[in-house]
């Protein structure tokens, strides 16, 4: 089956932070753009919308983005939500799952193919490690929802290539270009789309010549990334406040820059 239209729904992960766009463009690319670019190669007249906005919570995504995706009635929808909620104290993975299930039901009722995601195992990420059990409960729910409604599931928990920091940007919360490339390859593989890329990456060993260099890197991360992130949460602010989706309508992809 060729997909003629695709709508991506979610937060910063789907928006594409921190995967810079091609030379001559502004903004971020990300795994969803990479998937759309491949689908456009295979289907004349292919159209793509990306409704994702960084920092959004699951209720905001379901309220603001899912109705628009239903309205657009694409052949394919990707939905990834909940990561920002799970980072917050007091979030309830069972309630989140009920919210997600209702959204998936609405999307599937349009006849669209729906792609869902588990997250990466957070055991190697300092600010997430203590909440690992809560992450696991929610992602088990995601697997169940996927099975119940006949969705395609992208299991990032099992992607060993994403457990290496070289797949992540300096903030350790968002993937870099290599991480987004791996996810795009996984999505296309699960969709049965022929690709020349492989998501099964094995990184060469990384050696730290000086343990002090690693400690300095950790200290810089705390100062430049974790501190500001905590500050925004304490002020009730989000990195996505005031931002609009980068591709709010189903439109053809522009040709790549020369």
């Amino acid at each position: 089956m060729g997909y003629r239209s695709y709508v991506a729904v979610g937060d910063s992960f789907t928006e594409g932070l921190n995967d810079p766009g091609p030379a001559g463009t502004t903004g971020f690319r990300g795994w969803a753009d990479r998937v759309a670019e491949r689908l456009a190669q295979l289907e004349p007249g292919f159209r793509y919308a990306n409704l994702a906005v960084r920092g959004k919570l699951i209720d905001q995504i379901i309220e603001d983005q899912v109705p628009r995706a239903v309205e657009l009635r694409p052949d394919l929808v990707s939905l990834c939500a909940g990561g920002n909620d799970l980072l917050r104290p007091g979030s309830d993975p069972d309630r989140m799952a009920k919210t997600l299930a209702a959204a998936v039901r609405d999307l599937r009722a349009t006849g669209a193919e729906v792609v869902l995601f588990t997250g990466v195992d957070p055991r190697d990420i300092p600010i997430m490690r203590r909440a690992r059990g809560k992450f696991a409960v929610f992602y088990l729910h995601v697997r169940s929802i996927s099975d119940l409604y006949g969705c395609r599931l992208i299991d990032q928990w099992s992607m060993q290539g994403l457990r290496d920091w070289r797949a992540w940007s300096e903030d350790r919360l968002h993937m870099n270009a290599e991480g987004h490339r791996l996810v795009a390859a996984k999505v296309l593989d699960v969709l049965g789309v022929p690709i020349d890329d492989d998501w099964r990456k094995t990184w060469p060993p990384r050696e730290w010549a000086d343990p002090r260099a690693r400690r300095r890197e950790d200290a810089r991360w705390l100062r430049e990334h974790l501190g500001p992130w905590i500050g925004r949460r304490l002020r009730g602010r989000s990195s996505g406040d005031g931002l609009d989706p980068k591709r709010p309508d189903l439109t053809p992809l522009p040709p790549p820059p020369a």
Side-chain angles (χ1 to χ4, degrees):
M1 174 181 175
Y3 296 104
R4 297 162 296 176
S5 54
Y6 165 39
V7 174
V9 172
D11 52 28
S12 59
F13 169 64
T14 301
E15 185 185 345
L17 275 67
N18 284 318
D19 179 9
T25 64
T26 59
F28 296 106
R29 188 184 184 193
W31 67 265
D33 285 18
R34 293 168 180 264
V35 167
E37 290 160 10
R38 177 57 181 150
L39 296 178
Q41 292 175 347
L42 301 174
E43 188 69 26
F46 174 83
R47 296 175 301 146
Y48 168 53
N50 190 317
L51 309 180
V53 176
R54 68 196 72 173
K56 295 302 181 182
L57 302 173
I58 191 168
D59 288 343
Q60 295 171 315
I61 292 170
I62 302 308
E63 180 179 349
D64 298 336
Q65 298 178 32
V66 169
R68 177 59 175 159
V70 169
E71 179 186 359
L72 292 172
R73 301 188 71 86
D75 297 329
L76 177 67
V77 178
S78 63
L79 171 56
C80 185
N84 290 313
D85 298 78
L86 293 169
L87 289 171
R88 296 178 179 233
S91 58
D92 181 351
D94 297 322
R95 186 201 68 80
M96 291 165 55
K98 290 181 180 179
T99 301
L100 181 68
V104 170
R105 183 176 62 246
D106 291 344
L107 290 168
R108 288 290 284 151
T110 69
E113 184 100 58
V114 175
V115 178
L116 299 178
F117 295 76
T118 74
V120 178
D121 186 347
R123 64 179 174 178
D124 302 316
I125 306 173
I127 65 172
M128 301 182 188
R129 187 182 300 125
R130 292 185 178 181
R132 190 184 183 205
K134 184 165 64 173
F135 277 78
V137 169
F138 179 65
Y139 294 138
L140 281 172
H141 279 307
V142 173
R143 297 185 70 92
S144 297
I145 293 167
S146 176
D147 185 51
L148 180 63
Y149 290 103
C151 303
R152 305 292 185 104
L153 181 69
I154 310 303
D155 185 8
Q156 296 184 91
W157 196 284
S158 67
M159 293 179 66
Q160 295 301 303
L162 296 181
R163 291 194 56 205
D164 193 288
W165 285 121
R166 284 168 286 187
W168 296 80
S169 58
E170 287 187 353
D171 66 9
R172 305 185 184 182
L173 291 171
H174 300 99
M175 296 175 188
N176 58 22
E178 181 62 11
H180 281 284
R181 183 192 67 79
L182 293 174
V183 173
K186 175 76 168 182
V187 172
L188 290 167
D189 184 30
V190 169
L191 290 175
V193 176
I195 53 172
D196 295 327
D197 212 349
D198 190 1
W199 55 268
R200 299 172 183 84
K201 184 178 181 72
T202 301
W203 293 90
R206 184 177 184 180
E207 296 181 2
W208 292 89
D210 182 359
R212 292 174 297 180
R214 186 166 189 171
R215 289 196 293 270
R216 286 195 297 269
E217 184 176 303
D218 289 342
R220 183 168 63 86
W221 172 72
L222 287 168
R223 181 178 64 255
E224 297 181 4
H225 299 289
L226 182 60
W229 182 86
I230 292 175
R232 288 196 300 272
R233 295 299 176 272
L234 292 176
R235 295 191 300 271
R237 301 289 301 276
S238 167
S239 57
D241 289 346
L243 295 182
D244 295 322
K246 65 180 184 180
R247 292 183 62 90
D249 301 305
L250 274 176
T251 55
L253 286 170

